[in-house]
Amino acid sequence: MSGLLRRHRDFRLLWCGETAGKFGAAVSTVSMPLVAVSTLHATTFEVALISACGWLPWLLIGLPVGVWVDRLRRRPLMLAAAGSSMVLFAAVPVLARAGGLTLGLLIAVALLTGGSAVLFQTAYSAYLPTLLAPADQAEGNAKLHGSASAAQIAGQGAGGLIAQLAGAVNGLFAHATTFLVALLCLLGIRFREPRPAGREGAPRSLTGEVAEGLRLVAGDPWFRTLTLFGAASNLALMGYQSLTAVFLVREVGLPPGAVGGLLAMASTGGIAGAFVVRRTAGRLGTARAMLLFELGVPSAALLIPLTAPGAGALLYVAGGFGVSAGVVAGNILKAGFQQSYCPPPLLGRLVASSAFLNYGTLPLGALLGGGVGSALGVRTAMWIMTAGVPLAALILFFSPVRTVRDLPVRPAGQESGGPGPGPGAAERDGAPAHR
C-alpha cells in the first residue's frame, strides 16, 4: 500500500468498507437475476422488472434525500443504509429455505435495498470531500474506483461460482455479510464531520431546497451537459444489462457459473479505466479524456450482441471490457469535476439532482429492454440497446466539452478562488452506470 492507504487511517477504513460493499453488490448482480431465472422461473420482462426496481428509488426519493444529506451528518446516514441492506439481503435466503420466497417479495427487496443505496450513495459522495484534503481527493477517488472494479470482478466470479455450487439464493448471504463488514469499518472511522451549518435567512422548506438543486443542474451548461449525457447513456446501459442473464443463459446457452466468469472478465475494464484515467487526463486534458472514454472506448459495446457459444463468448468479454473501462474512467473525471466546481454547501443536492435524472432513467431502461426483448427477441433487443451506448455520447461531442482541453475547476467569474482537486471521483453497485 502507498499514499493515502498507508498514511490515512480513516480513508483506509472507508476504502475497506466500500470495497467489501462493492464485492457483495457484484455477487448480487449475478445472484438476483439468476434467482429469478432459475428458482422462480421468471419471464424475460419479470427479470428486467427486478433490475428496474433496484433503481426506481432514485426517481421516488432521490431529490429529498439530497436535501437531507445537506442538512445532516453523512456518516450516520451511511450506517443506517448499510444496516438496513444487510438485514434485507439476509432475509431472501431465509425466506427461500422456509418456502416463502416469491417474485413479489424479491421485487420488494430490490425496491427497499435500492432505497438504501440512494441514501448511502448520496451521503457517501458528499462525505468523501470532508474526509480528504482537496489535494488528496484525486488519489482517493481513483483508488476507490479501482478497488471497486477489482471487487466487482471477484464478486461476479464468486456469484457465478456460488450459484453453480450452492444455488443462486445463497449468494445473497455473501452480500449481507459484506454489509456487516462495511458497518464495522464505518464505525471505526474516528473523524467526526461538523454538523452542516444552517443558512440564516434562507428558506428551509424541502421543496425550496430541492428546487435549488434542480436549478443548479439546469442553469449551468457543464452540469446540464453531463447530466443529460448520463441520463441517455444509462438508459442504454441498463437496457442491455437487464437482459444479460437471460441473454447468456437462454440465448447463448451458458451455465450460471460461466455467466459469472464472463461478467468478471468483462469487469476488468473498470480496473484498466481507473488505472489509466489520471495519466490520460494529464496528457490530453480532462475534457478530451472524457470524450475518449465516453465515446470512443464504449463503442466496443456493439460486440456484445455477437456473443456465441464457445470462443464466441469472448466477444461479450471484449464488449463489456470497453464499456466498463469507459464508464469507470468517465465517472472518475465527472466526480472530480463536481467536487472542485460545485459549492460545498450544495454538493449533496447536486449529487441527488443529477442522480435523479441519471439514475432515474435506469429503471426506464430496464423496462424498455424487457419490453423490446419480449416483443422482438432478446438478441435483437441487445443490438438496439448496445447501439445506444455510443450514440448517447454524441451529447458530449456536440457540447462545450468538445471545445476545451480541460473541464473547468470553478464557475466563470470565480477564477481567483483556490485550486480545485483536479480529476478524481467518489458507483451503484456492481453494474456500470453513469453518476
Side-chain angles (χ1 to χ4, degrees):
M1 295 188 301
S2 62
L4 278 174
L5 292 178
R6 184 185 67 247
R7 59 183 167 83
H8 200 303
R9 175 188 176 277
D10 286 344
F11 175 77
R12 187 163 63 247
L13 284 170
L14 182 66
W15 176 82
C16 289
E18 178 70 358
T19 301
K22 293 300 183 186
F23 175 86
V27 171
S28 72
T29 61
V30 177
S31 299
M32 289 283 276
L34 289 177
V35 168
V37 171
S38 60
T39 303
L40 300 177
H41 307 290
T43 66
T44 297
F45 185 79
E46 288 169 341
V47 175
L49 180 61
I50 292 172
S51 297
C53 287
W55 296 99
L56 185 59
W58 285 100
L59 281 175
L60 300 178
I61 63 171
L63 293 176
V65 164
V67 175
W68 300 333
V69 165
D70 279 339
R71 290 181 179 180
L72 304 171
R73 290 188 176 96
R74 286 75 184 251
R75 180 170 163 271
L77 297 176
M78 295 161 64
L79 286 167
S84 60
S85 294
M86 177 184 68
V87 172
L88 287 165
F89 278 115
V92 174
V94 172
L95 287 170
R97 290 184 180 183
L101 183 62
T102 65
L103 185 65
L105 286 173
L106 198 62
I107 289 173
V109 169
L111 277 170
L112 293 171
T113 55
S116 296
V118 172
L119 183 61
F120 188 95
Q121 181 64 57
T122 307
Y124 167 80
S125 298
Y127 179 73
L128 185 67
T130 70
L131 184 68
L132 297 180
D136 288 331
Q137 288 175 18
E139 180 187 353
N141 286 323
K143 278 184 165 57
L144 285 165
H145 271 287
S147 63
S149 295
Q152 183 179 350
I153 294 166
Q156 288 179 334
L161 183 61
I162 292 170
Q164 188 81 4
L165 299 178
V169 171
N170 291 322
L172 296 179
F173 269 133
H175 199 179
T177 302
T178 58
F179 273 114
L180 176 60
V181 174
L183 271 172
L184 295 175
C185 289
L186 287 171
L187 287 170
I189 293 176
R190 295 171 182 165
F191 170 74
R192 294 297 180 265
E193 57 185 318
R195 184 179 297 276
R199 294 175 295 163
E200 295 183 6
R204 297 291 293 172
S205 71
L206 182 65
T207 55
E209 295 193 52
V210 165
E212 188 175 8
L214 290 173
R215 285 195 299 270
L216 179 65
V217 171
D220 185 277
W222 300 97
F223 290 147
R224 185 170 62 245
T225 294
L226 293 176
T227 300
L228 289 174
F229 159 69
S233 182
N234 282 345
L235 185 75
L237 286 169
M238 185 50 62
Y240 88 77
Q241 289 168 10
S242 66
L243 297 173
T244 296
V246 178
F247 175 66
L248 294 178
V249 172
R250 294 178 180 168
E251 193 78 16
V252 182
L254 299 178
V259 171
L262 280 186
L263 293 175
M265 287 189 288
S267 297
T268 57
I271 293 180
F275 181 76
V276 303
V277 62
R278 294 176 66 198
R279 184 177 302 175
T280 304
R283 291 183 178 180
L284 301 181
T286 53
R288 294 174 183 173
M290 181 166 282
L291 286 175
L292 172 65
F293 286 115
E294 300 287 26
L295 177 58
V297 177
S299 296
L302 293 171
L303 296 173
I304 291 175
L306 297 171
T307 304
L314 294 177
L315 291 170
Y316 180 88
V317 175
F321 183 96
V323 172
S324 295
V327 169
V328 169
N331 281 341
I332 290 173
L333 293 169
K334 179 181 176 181
F337 163 71
Q338 287 180 333
Q339 290 168 2
S340 62
Y341 188 81
C342 178
L346 295 174
L347 187 56
R349 269 161 286 175
L350 170 68
V351 171
S353 297
S354 59
F356 172 75
L357 299 169
N358 286 350
Y359 290 166
T361 61
L362 288 168
L364 302 179
L367 294 175
L368 178 62
V372 175
S374 297
L376 303 179
V378 175
R379 193 177 292 271
T380 299
M382 295 292 279
W383 274 113
I384 294 172
M385 303 314 296
T386 54
V389 174
L391 288 176
L394 294 179
I395 294 174
L396 294 178
F397 186 78
F398 295 108
S399 78
V401 175
R402 183 170 57 91
T403 65
V404 297
R405 182 183 187 274
D406 289 288
L407 299 171
V409 295
R410 61 190 61 85
Q414 298 182 14
E415 286 78 3
S416 59
E427 241 168 78
R428 181 188 137 139
D429 300 349
H434 285 95
R435 310 178 85 178

